[in-house]
Short mmCIF file of all heavy atoms in Angstrom, two decimals:
data_model
loop_
_atom_site.label_atom_id
_atom_site.label_comp_id
_atom_site.label_asym_id
_atom_site.label_seq_id
_atom_site.Cartn_x
_atom_site.Cartn_y
_atom_site.Cartn_z
N GLU A 1 3.03 0.22 -9.41
CA GLU A 1 4.04 -0.75 -8.99
C GLU A 1 4.90 -0.17 -7.86
O GLU A 1 5.31 -0.90 -6.94
CB GLU A 1 4.89 -1.15 -10.19
CG GLU A 1 4.11 -2.02 -11.18
CD GLU A 1 4.73 -2.06 -12.56
OE1 GLU A 1 5.79 -1.44 -12.76
OE2 GLU A 1 4.14 -2.71 -13.44
N PHE A 2 5.18 1.13 -7.92
CA PHE A 2 5.89 1.80 -6.82
C PHE A 2 5.07 1.68 -5.54
O PHE A 2 5.60 1.36 -4.47
CB PHE A 2 6.12 3.27 -7.18
CG PHE A 2 6.56 4.14 -6.03
CD1 PHE A 2 7.87 4.11 -5.57
CD2 PHE A 2 5.66 4.99 -5.42
CE1 PHE A 2 8.27 4.92 -4.51
CE2 PHE A 2 6.05 5.81 -4.35
CZ PHE A 2 7.36 5.76 -3.90
N LEU A 3 3.77 1.94 -5.63
CA LEU A 3 2.89 1.82 -4.47
C LEU A 3 2.95 0.40 -3.89
O LEU A 3 3.04 0.23 -2.67
CB LEU A 3 1.45 2.16 -4.88
CG LEU A 3 0.38 1.97 -3.80
CD1 LEU A 3 0.55 3.00 -2.69
CD2 LEU A 3 -1.01 2.07 -4.41
N HIS A 4 2.93 -0.58 -4.74
CA HIS A 4 2.99 -1.98 -4.30
C HIS A 4 4.28 -2.24 -3.51
O HIS A 4 4.26 -2.84 -2.43
CB HIS A 4 2.91 -2.90 -5.52
CG HIS A 4 2.78 -4.36 -5.19
ND1 HIS A 4 3.81 -5.09 -4.63
CD2 HIS A 4 1.75 -5.21 -5.34
CE1 HIS A 4 3.41 -6.33 -4.44
NE2 HIS A 4 2.16 -6.44 -4.86
N ARG A 5 5.41 -1.74 -4.03
CA ARG A 5 6.68 -1.98 -3.35
C ARG A 5 6.76 -1.22 -2.03
O ARG A 5 7.28 -1.73 -1.03
CB ARG A 5 7.85 -1.57 -4.27
CG ARG A 5 7.95 -2.42 -5.54
CD ARG A 5 9.27 -2.24 -6.25
NE ARG A 5 9.53 -0.87 -6.68
CZ ARG A 5 9.11 -0.35 -7.84
NH1 ARG A 5 8.37 -1.08 -8.67
NH2 ARG A 5 9.43 0.89 -8.17
N VAL A 6 6.23 -0.01 -2.01
CA VAL A 6 6.24 0.79 -0.79
C VAL A 6 5.40 0.13 0.30
O VAL A 6 5.84 -0.02 1.45
CB VAL A 6 5.73 2.23 -1.06
CG1 VAL A 6 5.35 2.92 0.24
CG2 VAL A 6 6.79 3.04 -1.79
N VAL A 7 4.18 -0.27 -0.06
CA VAL A 7 3.30 -0.89 0.94
C VAL A 7 3.90 -2.20 1.45
O VAL A 7 3.86 -2.49 2.65
CB VAL A 7 1.89 -1.11 0.35
CG1 VAL A 7 1.03 -1.93 1.30
CG2 VAL A 7 1.23 0.23 0.06
N THR A 8 4.47 -2.98 0.56
CA THR A 8 5.12 -4.24 0.97
C THR A 8 6.25 -3.95 1.96
O THR A 8 6.37 -4.62 3.00
CB THR A 8 5.65 -4.99 -0.25
OG1 THR A 8 4.56 -5.30 -1.13
CG2 THR A 8 6.36 -6.27 0.17
N TYR A 9 7.08 -2.96 1.64
CA TYR A 9 8.18 -2.58 2.54
C TYR A 9 7.62 -2.17 3.91
O TYR A 9 8.13 -2.59 4.96
CB TYR A 9 8.98 -1.44 1.93
CG TYR A 9 10.05 -0.88 2.86
CD1 TYR A 9 11.34 -1.38 2.83
CD2 TYR A 9 9.75 0.14 3.78
CE1 TYR A 9 12.32 -0.88 3.70
CE2 TYR A 9 10.70 0.63 4.65
CZ TYR A 9 11.99 0.12 4.60
OH TYR A 9 12.94 0.61 5.45
N LEU A 10 6.58 -1.35 3.91
CA LEU A 10 6.05 -0.81 5.16
C LEU A 10 5.45 -1.91 6.03
O LEU A 10 5.66 -1.93 7.25
CB LEU A 10 4.99 0.26 4.85
CG LEU A 10 5.55 1.56 4.28
CD1 LEU A 10 4.42 2.43 3.71
CD2 LEU A 10 6.32 2.33 5.35
N VAL A 11 4.70 -2.81 5.43
CA VAL A 11 4.13 -3.90 6.22
C VAL A 11 5.24 -4.75 6.82
O VAL A 11 5.20 -5.12 8.00
CB VAL A 11 3.19 -4.77 5.36
CG1 VAL A 11 2.69 -5.98 6.15
CG2 VAL A 11 1.99 -3.95 4.88
N ASN A 12 6.26 -5.04 6.04
CA ASN A 12 7.38 -5.82 6.56
C ASN A 12 8.16 -5.07 7.62
O ASN A 12 8.85 -5.69 8.45
CB ASN A 12 8.31 -6.23 5.42
CG ASN A 12 7.68 -7.27 4.50
OD1 ASN A 12 6.84 -8.06 4.94
ND2 ASN A 12 8.07 -7.28 3.24
N ALA A 13 8.05 -3.72 7.61
CA ALA A 13 8.70 -2.90 8.63
C ALA A 13 7.84 -2.74 9.88
O ALA A 13 8.25 -2.08 10.84
CB ALA A 13 9.04 -1.52 8.06
N GLY A 14 6.64 -3.32 9.88
CA GLY A 14 5.79 -3.31 11.05
C GLY A 14 4.63 -2.34 11.01
O GLY A 14 3.86 -2.26 11.99
N VAL A 15 4.46 -1.60 9.93
CA VAL A 15 3.35 -0.65 9.83
C VAL A 15 2.06 -1.42 9.55
O VAL A 15 2.03 -2.30 8.69
CB VAL A 15 3.61 0.40 8.73
CG1 VAL A 15 2.41 1.32 8.58
CG2 VAL A 15 4.86 1.19 9.06
N ARG A 16 1.01 -1.03 10.27
CA ARG A 16 -0.28 -1.70 10.10
C ARG A 16 -1.41 -0.72 9.78
O ARG A 16 -2.57 -1.13 9.66
CB ARG A 16 -0.65 -2.47 11.39
CG ARG A 16 0.37 -3.54 11.78
CD ARG A 16 0.36 -4.68 10.78
NE ARG A 16 1.31 -5.74 11.14
CZ ARG A 16 2.53 -5.85 10.62
NH1 ARG A 16 2.97 -4.96 9.73
NH2 ARG A 16 3.33 -6.84 10.98
N GLN A 17 -1.09 0.58 9.63
CA GLN A 17 -2.10 1.60 9.40
C GLN A 17 -1.69 2.46 8.21
O GLN A 17 -0.55 2.92 8.15
CB GLN A 17 -2.28 2.49 10.62
CG GLN A 17 -2.56 1.74 11.92
CD GLN A 17 -2.79 2.70 13.08
OE1 GLN A 17 -3.91 2.92 13.51
NE2 GLN A 17 -1.72 3.31 13.56
N PHE A 18 -2.64 2.70 7.29
CA PHE A 18 -2.34 3.44 6.07
C PHE A 18 -3.44 4.46 5.79
O PHE A 18 -4.63 4.15 5.92
CB PHE A 18 -2.24 2.49 4.88
CG PHE A 18 -1.15 1.46 5.00
CD1 PHE A 18 -1.34 0.29 5.72
CD2 PHE A 18 0.09 1.68 4.41
CE1 PHE A 18 -0.34 -0.66 5.84
CE2 PHE A 18 1.11 0.74 4.53
CZ PHE A 18 0.89 -0.43 5.25
N ILE A 19 -3.02 5.65 5.40
CA ILE A 19 -3.94 6.67 4.89
C ILE A 19 -3.50 6.99 3.47
O ILE A 19 -2.41 7.54 3.26
CB ILE A 19 -3.94 7.95 5.76
CG1 ILE A 19 -4.37 7.62 7.19
CG2 ILE A 19 -4.88 9.00 5.15
CD1 ILE A 19 -4.30 8.81 8.14
N ASP A 20 -4.33 6.64 2.50
CA ASP A 20 -4.02 6.81 1.09
C ASP A 20 -4.81 8.00 0.55
O ASP A 20 -6.05 7.94 0.48
CB ASP A 20 -4.36 5.53 0.33
CG ASP A 20 -3.96 5.62 -1.14
OD1 ASP A 20 -2.97 6.30 -1.44
OD2 ASP A 20 -4.65 5.00 -1.97
N LEU A 21 -4.13 9.06 0.17
CA LEU A 21 -4.76 10.32 -0.22
C LEU A 21 -4.84 10.43 -1.74
O LEU A 21 -3.86 10.22 -2.43
CB LEU A 21 -3.98 11.50 0.36
CG LEU A 21 -3.87 11.50 1.89
CD1 LEU A 21 -2.82 12.50 2.35
CD2 LEU A 21 -5.22 11.84 2.52
N GLY A 22 -6.02 10.81 -2.24
CA GLY A 22 -6.22 10.87 -3.68
C GLY A 22 -6.21 9.48 -4.28
O GLY A 22 -5.53 9.21 -5.27
N SER A 23 -7.00 8.58 -3.70
CA SER A 23 -6.85 7.15 -3.93
C SER A 23 -7.31 6.67 -5.30
O SER A 23 -6.71 5.75 -5.86
CB SER A 23 -7.64 6.38 -2.87
OG SER A 23 -7.33 6.83 -1.57
N GLY A 24 -8.39 7.25 -5.82
CA GLY A 24 -8.99 6.67 -7.00
C GLY A 24 -9.75 5.40 -6.66
O GLY A 24 -10.09 5.14 -5.50
N VAL A 25 -10.03 4.58 -7.67
CA VAL A 25 -10.78 3.34 -7.45
C VAL A 25 -9.86 2.32 -6.77
O VAL A 25 -8.77 2.04 -7.28
CB VAL A 25 -11.30 2.78 -8.79
CG1 VAL A 25 -12.14 1.53 -8.54
CG2 VAL A 25 -12.11 3.83 -9.53
N PRO A 26 -10.29 1.75 -5.63
CA PRO A 26 -9.39 0.84 -4.88
C PRO A 26 -9.35 -0.57 -5.45
O PRO A 26 -9.81 -1.54 -4.84
CB PRO A 26 -10.01 0.87 -3.48
CG PRO A 26 -11.47 1.07 -3.73
CD PRO A 26 -11.56 1.97 -4.94
N THR A 27 -8.79 -0.70 -6.65
CA THR A 27 -8.70 -1.99 -7.31
C THR A 27 -7.30 -2.16 -7.91
O THR A 27 -6.47 -1.26 -7.84
CB THR A 27 -9.73 -2.11 -8.45
OG1 THR A 27 -9.49 -1.06 -9.41
CG2 THR A 27 -11.14 -2.00 -7.94
N VAL A 28 -7.06 -3.28 -8.52
CA VAL A 28 -5.85 -3.58 -9.28
C VAL A 28 -4.60 -3.36 -8.44
O VAL A 28 -3.74 -2.56 -8.76
CB VAL A 28 -5.79 -2.76 -10.59
CG1 VAL A 28 -4.78 -3.41 -11.55
CG2 VAL A 28 -7.14 -2.66 -11.28
N GLY A 29 -4.55 -4.06 -7.30
CA GLY A 29 -3.36 -3.98 -6.46
C GLY A 29 -3.25 -2.72 -5.65
O GLY A 29 -2.14 -2.20 -5.45
N ASN A 30 -4.38 -2.20 -5.17
CA ASN A 30 -4.31 -1.01 -4.34
C ASN A 30 -3.93 -1.38 -2.90
O ASN A 30 -3.67 -2.55 -2.61
CB ASN A 30 -5.62 -0.22 -4.40
CG ASN A 30 -5.40 1.28 -4.42
OD1 ASN A 30 -4.59 1.80 -3.66
ND2 ASN A 30 -6.11 1.97 -5.29
N VAL A 31 -3.93 -0.38 -2.01
CA VAL A 31 -3.26 -0.53 -0.72
C VAL A 31 -3.80 -1.69 0.11
O VAL A 31 -3.04 -2.51 0.63
CB VAL A 31 -3.35 0.79 0.08
CG1 VAL A 31 -2.64 0.64 1.43
CG2 VAL A 31 -2.75 1.94 -0.71
N HIS A 32 -5.11 -1.77 0.27
CA HIS A 32 -5.66 -2.83 1.14
C HIS A 32 -5.39 -4.21 0.57
O HIS A 32 -5.15 -5.16 1.33
CB HIS A 32 -7.15 -2.61 1.38
CG HIS A 32 -8.03 -2.98 0.23
ND1 HIS A 32 -8.12 -2.21 -0.91
CD2 HIS A 32 -8.86 -4.05 0.03
CE1 HIS A 32 -8.98 -2.77 -1.75
NE2 HIS A 32 -9.43 -3.89 -1.22
N GLU A 33 -5.40 -4.33 -0.76
CA GLU A 33 -5.14 -5.63 -1.37
C GLU A 33 -3.71 -6.09 -1.09
O GLU A 33 -3.48 -7.27 -0.80
CB GLU A 33 -5.40 -5.55 -2.87
CG GLU A 33 -6.87 -5.29 -3.22
CD GLU A 33 -7.10 -5.14 -4.71
OE1 GLU A 33 -6.23 -4.59 -5.40
OE2 GLU A 33 -8.16 -5.57 -5.17
N VAL A 34 -2.77 -5.17 -1.17
CA VAL A 34 -1.38 -5.51 -0.94
C VAL A 34 -1.12 -5.75 0.55
O VAL A 34 -0.59 -6.80 0.94
CB VAL A 34 -0.44 -4.40 -1.47
CG1 VAL A 34 1.01 -4.74 -1.16
CG2 VAL A 34 -0.64 -4.19 -2.96
#
């Protein structure tokens, strides 16, 4: 849920590029989905 709020903040701040380190399985509200 912290990740969800951070990514939402960043996109609204104009960020369009993300590098997610130690990602795990990219499901259940992961970075690209948000």
